[in-house]
Amino acid sequence: MKYLNKVKKIMLSKRIKRYYKKIKKIVVEYKYIVLMCLPFILIDLFTFILGSSIDYVNYRFYVPLLFNLIYIGLFVGIPINSNKIVSRVLYIVFGILFIIMFLVNNVYFSLTKTFFDFKLMESASEGAPYILDTLKNCNVLVYIFFIIIIFTFIIGYKNIPIKKKNNYKNTSIIICAFIILHLFIPITLGHENKELTWSSWKNPRNIYITFNDNNKSMKITGIYEYTVRNFYMTFLKTKEQENQEDVTFLEESYVSKESNKNKYTGKFKENNIIFLQLEGIDKWLITEEDTPTLYSMMNNSYNFANHYSYYNGGGSTFNSEFAVNTGFITPLSYNKNAYTFNKNSFPNSMANIFKKLGYSVNAFHMNSGEYYSRKVNYLNWGYDNYYGLVDMFNYKDKSYELDRELILNEEFSNLMFPDESNFVDYIITYSAHMPFTNTKGVCKMLYNEDTEKKIEEMNSKIENEDEKIDSLEFTEMSEEECARRQAKETDYMVSLLLDKLREKDLLENTVIVAYADHYLYTIEDKTILDKYKETNNNLINNTPFFIWKDGMKKKTINKVTSQLNILPTLLNLFGVEYNINNYIQTDALDSDYEPIVFFNDYSWYDGNVYVYQGEVTNGKTISSENLENKNHFITRITKKNDLTLKFDYFKKNK
C-alpha cells in the first residue's frame, strides 16, 4: 500500500511538472502579448484609481471590463498580425493616442473632478494661458502613473513579434469580433427608460445613450470607449437638422425686444438674492401654526397667489431648477429630461447674467452633485460652485436630510455669504420629501427628537429619580401629520437662515425668492389633497411663490404665474435690461403681462378659464376669438421652448 502511494505521488509529481513545463512554454512563447497589453491595462486601471472619488454610478462592473478587453484586443491583435513596419506604426499610434488621453483626462479631473470632454476644444484658446499652472497643480500620482505607463509601453514595443507578412485573415476576424461585441456590450447595461422618469439620470443604459455626463459615462465604459464615444458624440454624430420652417420660426421668436420699464424696475437693485426652492412645501402647509416663519414672510411680501409649478414625471424638482435658472422647461413634444441639456448653451441664464453684474453665484443642497447631474448642470448654467453636504462632509447618520444642517453646519453655511461681493445663493431644501411616516426617513428622526424632548419635559417635573421615565409608547403619525412636521423642519431652517443674515448684518440688503418645486404629489393618501386643493385637473399644481425683503408690506398678485415667470420678474426688479424674447415667459409684475400658464398635456389656465385639448372644461366664459388666440399662443411658446432646446439655439446664434 505504501509502495502504491509512493508510485502515485511520483506520477502526480511528474504530471505537475509536465503541466508546469507546458504552462511555462506557453507563457514564454506568448509573453509578448501580455507585455504589449500591459500599458493599455494600466491606462484604464490608473484612471479608475484616480477617479475613484466619484464611484457612485450603479453600473455593472463587467461592462467597462468588457469594453477594455475588446479595445485592448484590437490595439494588440492587429499589430501582432501585421508585418514589421505596420505593427510598430500601429502600436505606436494606439499607444501614444491613449497615453495622451490618459494624461489629458486625469490632469483635467485632478483639478475639476470632471473628466475631459472634446467639447472643451471649442474654448481651448480661453484655457491656453492656464495650461502651465494646471500642470503644476496636478495630483502628483498622475505623473507617477504616467511614467510607469511610458515604461511599460517601451517594453511592449520592444516585444512586438517580427513578421514578414500581414495576416489579413486574423486581422479581419479581430475587427469583425470587435464590431459585433461593441454592438452587443451596451445591451448588457439594461433597458433604456424611454418614458420621462426622474431616475433616468442613474440608469446605465440612458447614461450610455445620452453620454452627456462625463463622470458617469467614464464609469460605465472605461477610458477607451469613453474617448471614442465622446469623440463621436461631439464631432461625428448626425445632428437633427432644422428645416427652413423651424429656422424661420426661431428667428422670428428671438427678434430683439427690450424689457419694459415699470414701477417695479430696479426696486431691488444691488441687493443680494437668495432663491429658496422649497421641496414639497405645498400651499396648505404654509400656516401660522406649522410654518410660522414662512407664513410671516409670505404675508409681508410680493405674494403671487395664483402660482403654478410645472409637474412632469421626468424629475419635477430639477425641472423647477431648470426653469428658474434658464427660463425654459422640459420639452413637451419629445421625451428628454431637463437634466440632459447640460451641454446646451444658456448665455442668458440667471447665473450668467448676475455674474456679469459682479455677483458670486453658488448653489447649496444636502444631496450629492451627481444627483440629477446637478454639478454638471449648475456649472453649465454659469454657477461658481454647486455645494452638496454629503459631498463635503462625512455624516455618520442621515441627519444631513434635516434642512437645519444647511445652516447649522457653519463651515457649509459660511460659504453662502462671501465677503468680497454681492451674492446669489440658490438653496434647495429636502426635509419635506417622502416618505411621510414616522417609521422611517425624516419624519422618524423628527418624531424621535420630539419624543426625547417630551421625556425631558416630563422628567423635569418629577422630583423622584425612581419615577422618571426612559421612553414613551410609540404613536403612529398619519401622512398629513408627518408632512406638516417635516414642513416645520424646513421652516426652522428658514428661521436659522434669517438669524444668520441678521448676525452678518445682511438682512436689510438681501431679497429672498421662495417657491415650491411642486405640489405634494408624493403623498400616498390623495384624500388629504382633496381637502385643500382642486384635484380633478392641472390646477392641483397651485403652489406658493413670494418675493420677500425685510420691512416689506404685503402685495398680493392674482395674475397666474409659473416657474417660467420667476427669472424675468427678478431681472426687472433688479433693474437688468434684457431681451424679453430670450425667455418663454415675461415679467409677471409688468402691466402688459398677459397671464397664462401651460402644463405638460398642453392644457392651460389664464386665471379665468381652464382649457384642455383646445376646449374650455371649467371656469368662466371666453370669446371664441380669445380662445383661439390663446390656444395659438400656447402652441407657439411650447414650440419655441422645444425647438430652442432641441437645436441648441443660443449656441448657434452667439
Side-chain angles (χ1 to χ4, degrees):
M1 192 70 179
K2 289 182 179 180
Y3 175 76
L4 286 173
N5 287 336
K6 190 173 183 181
V7 170
K8 284 181 180 179
K9 285 181 181 179
I10 293 170
M11 290 177 67
L12 182 62
S13 177
K14 287 182 178 180
R15 188 179 299 172
I16 291 171
K17 286 180 180 179
R18 189 162 60 248
Y19 285 138
Y20 172 75
K21 286 180 180 179
K22 285 183 179 180
I23 292 169
K24 184 178 180 181
K25 183 180 178 182
I26 292 171
V27 170
V28 171
E29 186 177 352
Y30 294 104
K31 74 172 183 178
Y32 68 91
I33 295 177
V34 176
L35 294 173
M36 288 176 70
C37 289
L38 186 58
F40 295 106
I41 293 170
L42 293 180
I43 284 172
D44 189 77
L45 176 63
F46 289 158
T47 301
F48 180 83
I49 292 170
L50 291 166
S52 60
S53 62
I54 56 155
D55 189 14
Y56 46 68
V57 180
N58 181 22
Y59 68 99
R60 297 164 176 81
F61 180 77
Y62 59 79
V63 174
L65 182 62
L66 289 174
F67 271 128
N68 291 337
L69 287 174
I70 65 170
Y71 274 102
I72 294 172
L74 190 72
F75 300 155
V76 173
I78 295 178
I80 64 177
N81 284 286
S82 303
N83 63 40
K84 181 178 179 180
I85 297 174
V86 175
S87 62
R88 278 158 172 71
V89 169
L90 287 176
Y91 191 74
I92 289 172
V93 169
F94 290 139
I96 290 178
L97 171 63
F98 283 98
I99 288 171
I100 290 172
M101 290 312 302
F102 167 83
L103 195 61
V104 170
N105 270 292
N106 289 289
V107 168
Y108 190 74
F109 181 85
S110 174
L111 296 174
T112 66
K113 298 304 176 189
T114 304
F115 286 106
F116 175 78
D117 191 324
F118 282 110
K119 187 184 178 185
L120 294 168
M121 301 292 287
E122 298 170 1
S123 55
S125 59
E126 297 173 19
Y130 308 102
I131 289 177
L132 285 178
D133 287 335
T134 301
L135 293 173
K136 286 178 184 177
N137 296 315
C138 177
N139 182 349
V140 69
L141 270 179
V142 174
Y143 299 124
I144 294 172
F145 289 159
F146 176 70
I147 292 168
I148 294 172
I149 290 168
I150 292 290
F151 179 72
T152 57
F153 178 71
I154 292 170
I155 294 174
Y157 176 80
K158 287 183 176 181
N159 279 273
I160 298 174
I162 298 172
K163 293 188 178 181
K164 294 181 179 180
K165 294 182 180 181
N166 294 316
N167 189 330
Y168 294 111
K169 181 180 178 181
N170 285 353
T171 300
S172 299
I173 291 172
I174 289 168
I175 293 173
C176 288
F178 173 84
I179 293 171
I180 292 168
L181 289 170
H182 189 273
L183 293 172
F184 169 75
I185 292 171
I187 297 172
T188 65
L189 287 167
H191 296 289
E192 172 195 3
N193 289 344
K194 293 186 178 179
E195 301 296 327
L196 279 183
T197 59
W198 71 271
S199 59
S200 293
W201 63 270
K202 63 179 181 178
N203 180 316
R205 189 69 179 275
N206 283 83
I207 293 168
Y208 183 79
I209 291 169
T210 58
F211 225 74
N212 62 343
D213 187 310
N214 299 350
N215 291 351
K216 293 190 183 80
S217 300
M218 177 70 84
K219 281 297 185 181
I220 64 167
T221 60
I223 192 169
Y224 302 112
E225 174 65 2
Y226 174 81
T227 301
V228 173
R229 186 161 177 80
N230 183 252
F231 185 87
Y232 164 75
M233 297 291 281
T234 305
F235 300 116
L236 303 179
K237 185 181 178 183
T238 303
K239 309 293 183 184
E240 192 165 355
Q241 296 298 310
E242 303 159 298
N243 57 44
Q244 190 54 48
E245 182 184 340
D246 291 338
V247 171
T248 303
F249 173 81
L250 286 172
E251 287 175 351
E252 291 174 351
S253 297
Y254 285 100
V255 172
S256 184
K257 183 181 179 182
E258 289 186 9
S259 56
N260 295 331
K261 291 185 178 180
N262 53 55
K263 64 180 181 179
Y264 299 99
T265 302
K267 189 173 182 65
F268 296 143
K269 192 172 184 178
E270 297 182 357
N271 279 257
N272 302 306
I273 314 173
I274 295 178
F275 288 89
L276 270 181
Q277 181 168 302
L278 304 167
E279 165 67 41
I281 302 296
D282 211 335
K283 211 163 187 178
W284 54 275
L285 289 170
I286 299 187
T287 67
E288 192 169 9
E289 181 181 354
D290 296 316
T291 52
T293 306
L294 288 169
Y295 179 82
S296 174
M297 291 171 70
M298 190 167 71
N299 282 282
N300 293 279
S301 67
Y302 293 152
N303 181 27
F304 297 81
N306 221 347
H307 181 76
Y308 295 84
S309 291
Y310 180 88
Y311 165 79
N312 72 87
S316 289
T317 294
F318 186 82
N319 197 73
S320 280
E321 296 163 58
F322 184 70
V324 173
N325 278 283
T326 69
F328 292 84
I329 207 77
T330 301
L332 275 69
S333 61
Y334 56 94
N335 285 349
K336 200 168 182 186
N337 296 79
Y339 48 77
T340 62
F341 292 104
N342 52 39
K343 292 189 178 180
N344 279 39
S345 180
F346 297 103
N348 306 301
S349 69
M350 181 274 290
N352 282 324
I353 287 175
F354 279 95
K355 279 176 73 174
K356 287 178 183 176
L357 296 174
Y359 284 70
S360 65
V361 187
N362 295 285
F364 302 86
H365 187 33
M366 72 83 185
N367 220 335
S368 170
E370 57 91 12
Y371 208 90
Y372 286 136
S373 296
R374 274 195 177 100
K375 184 173 182 180
V376 177
N377 275 286
Y378 275 82
L379 292 179
N380 184 53
W381 296 337
Y383 277 73
D384 296 315
N385 299 283
Y386 170 87
Y387 294 110
L389 265 177
V390 294
D391 289 332
M392 299 173 63
F393 304 97
N394 185 24
Y395 281 84
K396 294 180 180 179
D397 54 21
K398 289 197 172 184
S399 59
Y400 58 82
E401 293 183 353
L402 298 175
D403 286 337
R404 68 185 74 175
E405 280 300 304
L406 296 172
I407 308 300
L408 291 181
N409 186 320
E410 291 197 13
E411 188 178 344
F412 187 77
S413 61
N414 284 338
L415 295 168
M416 299 176 181
F417 313 109
D419 297 325
E420 299 177 358
S421 65
N422 278 14
F423 61 85
V424 177
D425 290 340
Y426 198 98
I427 302 175
I428 307 164
T429 71
Y430 178 81
S431 291
H433 196 280
M434 64 182 296
F436 302 106
T437 170
N438 59 334
T439 59
K440 55 186 175 181
V442 172
C443 192
K444 179 181 179 180
M445 284 190 280
L446 295 172
Y447 174 81
N448 290 340
E449 179 184 283
D450 293 344
T451 301
E452 287 177 11
K453 286 181 180 178
K454 285 180 184 178
I455 292 172
E456 287 178 9
E457 289 175 4
M458 293 171 69
N459 285 336
S460 67
K461 298 174 183 178
I462 300 173
E463 294 182 3
N464 189 339
E465 289 292 328
D466 294 334
E467 294 178 2
K468 290 188 176 183
I469 58 174
D470 297 322
S471 62
L472 292 174
E473 184 179 349
F474 174 78
T475 303
E476 187 172 354
M477 295 171 67
S478 69
E479 275 198 289
E480 181 172 348
E481 287 173 326
C482 270
R484 291 187 183 279
R485 181 62 186 90
Q486 288 168 240
K488 190 171 185 177
E489 170 64 21
T490 297
D491 190 75
Y492 175 47
M493 182 280 292
V494 177
S495 71
L496 292 172
L497 175 64
L498 296 183
D499 289 342
K500 192 95 173 181
L501 287 168
R502 195 174 289 109
E503 173 192 320
K504 291 183 171 291
D505 201 25
L506 292 168
L507 191 63
E508 291 183 1
N509 64 332
T510 299
V511 175
I512 294 181
V513 184
Y515 52 91
D517 53 352
H518 51 72
Y519 79 94
L520 206 62
Y521 68 88
T522 51
I523 205 158
E524 291 183 13
D525 183 1
K526 303 305 180 186
T527 62
I528 297 170
L529 299 177
D530 291 333
K531 292 193 295 183
Y532 303 110
K533 305 175 74 72
E534 183 170 354
T535 57
N536 61 350
N537 55 44
N538 277 312
L539 299 184
I540 194 175
N541 290 285
N542 186 217
T543 53
F545 163 41
F546 59 87
I547 300 172
W548 177 90
K549 189 172 185 287
D550 190 36
M552 282 182 67
K553 292 183 179 179
K554 181 178 181 180
K555 178 177 177 58
T556 301
I557 295 91
N558 289 311
K559 291 181 178 180
V560 294
T561 57
S562 72
Q563 301 108 310
L564 294 171
N565 294 105
I566 294 177
L567 178 53
T569 301
L570 259 291
L571 293 180
N572 182 63
L573 283 167
F574 278 78
V576 180
E577 294 183 3
Y578 63 97
N579 175 10
I580 291 176
N581 287 329
N582 281 341
Y583 306 104
I584 299 302
Q585 272 291 15
T586 58
D587 173 16
L589 293 171
D590 195 317
S591 57
D592 290 341
Y593 168 57
E594 295 185 12
I596 196 166
V597 296
F598 64 89
F599 304 98
N600 63 338
D601 57 1
Y602 293 94
S603 63
W604 55 264
Y605 178 60
D606 66 355
N608 179 42
V609 291
Y610 177 76
V611 175
Y612 176 68
Q613 295 185 348
E615 300 292 333
V616 177
T617 60
N618 67 311
K620 301 176 184 177
T621 59
I622 184 173
S623 69
S624 58
E625 182 181 359
N626 198 8
L627 177 63
E628 184 179 348
N629 288 339
K630 290 191 175 182
N631 280 332
H632 175 73
F633 175 74
I634 295 301
T635 300
R636 186 173 64 79
I637 64 171
T638 53
K639 181 179 179 181
K640 175 184 175 181
N641 181 83
D642 292 9
L643 291 180
T644 298
L645 297 174
K646 179 182 283 188
F647 300 125
D648 198 359
Y649 175 83
F650 292 112
K651 179 181 178 182
K652 295 181 179 180
N653 295 274
K654 288 183 179 179

